[in-house]
Amino acid sequence: MLRRAAAPPPSNLLRAWTREMAKRAGQKAKRPQIDPTRGWVPIREKLEAVPLRLPGLQSLQVVFGRTGDGHTAARHFVRQHLAQFRYYNPDAEIFQRNSKAEERARVTVQLADSDPVEVDVTGLPHRSDVLRKVLEATKMGSADVDAAIAAAAAMREVTIDAMGYCGKTPVKTHGVRPRIVQPPPQKAAGQL
């Protein structure tokens, strides 16, 4: 008759691991601390930073190309201000369309009591210039336009410096150095 060999006794390491797992199983999971930079409050602060309430707005369509110098301001306008338009005008149809084939950047605004107005924003140097043209197309008062532009200028910019850093973190450029677009020089009042 064959005898069965007894199982070898567990090693000390295995015993320690088994004890540790039993302890962990009995403990409650630690609750993560609440992060005050997340949640509704910071999102609402950013959405309410620029007053863009347009009572007669029915639709706002932004069309731009994915690349190119002439489309940069339109892309930044969409990134910074389209959510604010949606927040202040929940009944309006607000959307964007971008493609590689687009040659012109344009914004189409339709108010309740008028025909659609198409604003060409190709080549504008800054997102606040696009915002100004859109608000002027909606026939908003000049004081309200200036207040909205001032609030938009006070918003924090997401910029890339000449060394390729966005704030303190390097930008992922996949080996291609970022191209920094300099604004055109301002002409003096007497020059043409």
Side-chain angles (χ1 to χ4, degrees):
M1 184 178 211
L2 293 173
R3 287 188 172 179
R4 256 191 180 168
S11 67
N12 290 337
L13 183 63
L14 184 60
R15 284 183 189 147
W17 180 80
T18 313
R19 273 190 235 115
E20 182 64 28
M21 290 294 111
K23 282 182 194 175
R24 286 186 186 177
Q27 293 176 352
K28 289 184 179 178
K30 291 184 180 177
R31 216 170 165 188
Q33 297 295 323
I34 296 174
D35 186 4
T37 61
R38 295 183 180 193
W40 177 243
V41 174
I43 294 171
R44 185 172 41 207
E45 287 173 358
K46 188 170 183 177
L47 290 173
E48 293 175 349
V50 181
L52 296 174
R53 187 177 316 278
L54 302 169
L57 185 67
Q58 279 190 333
S59 73
L60 177 76
Q61 177 184 6
V62 185
V63 179
F64 58 94
R66 291 185 192 155
T67 60
D69 291 339
H71 302 272
T72 304
R75 285 194 305 268
H76 289 208
F77 170 78
V78 166
R79 186 184 319 147
Q80 296 279 345
H81 298 299
L82 217 59
Q84 294 168 341
F85 271 105
R86 287 185 181 127
Y87 179 75
Y88 278 109
N89 306 294
D91 297 333
E93 185 179 315
I94 299 173
F95 57 96
Q96 63 169 337
R97 189 179 79 215
N98 60 15
S99 71
K100 291 181 181 178
E102 283 300 327
E103 295 178 8
R104 294 184 319 123
R106 60 190 181 276
V107 180
T108 306
V109 179
Q110 182 171 5
L111 299 174
D113 56 353
S114 65
D115 292 332
V117 177
E118 186 172 293
V119 180
D120 186 20
V121 295
T122 306
L124 293 179
H126 198 262
R127 65 179 166 82
S128 61
D129 298 325
V130 177
L131 181 63
R132 179 177 294 278
K133 281 200 164 199
V134 169
L135 293 179
E136 287 172 352
T138 62
K139 298 176 178 63
M140 192 180 213
S142 63
D144 294 334
V145 170
D146 292 338
I149 297 299
M155 285 180 64
R156 191 173 71 109
E157 292 282 339
V158 177
T159 57
I160 299 174
D161 66 4
M163 295 303 294
Y165 280 80
C166 180
K168 294 182 180 178
T169 52
V171 177
K172 295 178 182 175
T173 58
H174 305 288
V176 179
R177 296 209 31 104
R179 183 169 45 89
I180 310 302
V181 179
Q182 299 292 336
Q186 299 292 328
K187 293 183 180 180
Q191 295 177 346
L192 287 176

